[in-house]
Amino acid sequence: MTESLSSDIRRFLERHHYTRVTPRAALIDMDGTLYDSMVNHTAAWHRMISEEGIPCTRDEFYLYEGRTGASTINLLFRRAFGRDATKEEIDRLYKRKTQYFVELPPVNVMPGAQRMVAELARMGITRVLVTGSGQSSLISRLDTDFPDMFPSDLRITSRDVTKGKPNPEPYIRAMQLARVSPSASIVIENAPLGCEAGDRAGAFTIGVTTGPIPAKELRDAGAAIVVDSMPALANMLPALILALMTTSIDG
Ligand code: CA
């Protein structure tokens, strides 16, 4: 185990007043983590919101990643019009964003993600999908792209939560589904709001930089460690899980 990994784990244990992390379930984000889909999501959001006459930049949508669709629309409506969107506006606009997403070229599985998930399964760690997305076109591909890896009764989507990330609710609900405590959970995330949600839920949160957001932002948001690519995480998972199980501080 490297010195820096050991000190990152100790810092996490102290911050959460845990003596040890014993990983039994991995709570895994979808967009930008399992699928290389953020380029398409940001394009679809930018097109739809621009058409509404709301000034916005393509890159700002990377920062909203993890929010529910309604929450992102409300944030932009408040900025542009000083009010929340109505229920009708949210339904209509999110449907159009979803349509624009579907019209774009199909997204690819994130390189390294299948190997990363297979490593978790090999080590006997339960996988739970946790996404703020209601993008059914991607959710329905999971069984094909990750066969037997994400049981259908262990999935949290936008339909299951009232508060999206950065609220810890999606990850707390995932822990309840998998019947694990926070200190028996790890979270795998690519976005600042997702890392914040994972850490606030009490899980050892692994940030993976798969897009333009720098590692420091993931760390500042609450990631216990940050890994610079999904293949790198797949490579280091066995050593990381062992390090977690063998690092403890006296309560
Ligand atoms: Ca994500």
Side-chain angles (χ1 to χ4, degrees):
M1 183 190 338
T2 64
E3 270 309 307
S4 75
L5 179 55
S6 170
S7 58
D8 283 343
I9 294 172
R10 285 173 188 280
R11 198 174 307 121
F12 172 82
L13 295 175
E14 282 163 11
R15 198 155 53 80
H16 284 274
H17 308 289
Y18 296 157
T19 52
R20 189 191 297 268
V21 174
T22 47
R24 289 179 46 220
L27 321 178
I28 306 173
D29 169 59
M30 184 173 74
D31 287 291
T33 298
L34 295 176
Y35 287 99
D36 195 4
S37 49
M38 284 313 298
V39 169
N40 285 11
H41 277 298
T42 57
W45 274 111
H46 184 253
R47 179 179 170 194
M48 183 278 282
I49 291 293
S50 297
E51 284 175 356
E52 288 303 298
I54 299 175
C56 60
T57 66
R58 172 88 175 261
D59 275 1
E60 73 176 281
F61 293 99
Y62 284 99
L63 296 174
Y64 307 150
E65 193 191 337
R67 286 180 182 276
T68 61
S71 154
T72 298
I73 291 167
N74 277 332
L75 183 134
L76 291 156
F77 262 62
R78 283 196 290 269
R79 189 175 77 194
F81 309 129
R83 65 168 178 91
D84 280 347
T86 64
K87 173 86 167 62
E88 288 73 20
E89 285 167 329
I90 288 170
D91 289 347
R92 178 169 54 81
L93 296 181
Y94 189 65
K95 198 173 156 200
R96 209 160 85 226
K97 181 264 166 181
T98 302
Q99 183 56 39
Y100 290 164
F101 179 86
V102 171
E103 288 171 8
L104 288 164
V107 303
N108 296 317
V109 173
M110 183 65 71
Q114 287 159 325
R115 198 157 55 83
M116 181 277 288
V117 171
E119 281 292 338
L120 291 169
R122 191 182 60 77
M123 291 185 284
I125 295 173
T126 301
R127 288 82 49 206
V128 187
L129 180 80
V130 184
T131 178
S133 174
Q135 197 88 39
S136 57
S137 62
L138 270 191
I139 296 168
S140 62
R141 277 181 53 184
L142 276 174
D143 290 329
T144 309
D145 295 329
F146 297 88
D148 303 323
M149 288 292 129
F150 292 96
S152 58
D153 59 342
L154 293 180
R155 295 179 186 181
I156 298 290
T157 71
S158 63
R159 282 184 286 277
D160 303 303
V161 294
T162 52
K163 304 181 192 81
K165 304 165 187 175
N167 192 286
E169 185 192 3
Y171 283 115
I172 290 170
R173 294 266 295 111
M175 291 168 189
Q176 291 166 345
L177 264 190
R179 298 171 187 277
V180 291
S181 65
S183 66
S185 307
I186 61 173
V187 161
I188 301 174
E189 264 287 353
N190 73 305
L193 296 181
C195 289
E196 182 181 340
D199 186 67
R200 282 169 63 188
F204 185 89
T205 299
I206 303 165
V208 188
T209 51
T210 63
I213 295 174
K216 183 176 184 305
E217 295 219 19
L218 301 185
R219 208 174 254 283
D220 289 350
I225 62 164
V226 179
V227 182
D228 67 8
S229 73
M230 197 55 76
L233 176 59
N235 290 342
M236 77 177 289
L237 256 185
L240 173 60
I241 298 300
L242 181 66
L244 283 171
M245 292 192 303
T246 54
T247 304
S248 63
I249 52 176
D250 296 327

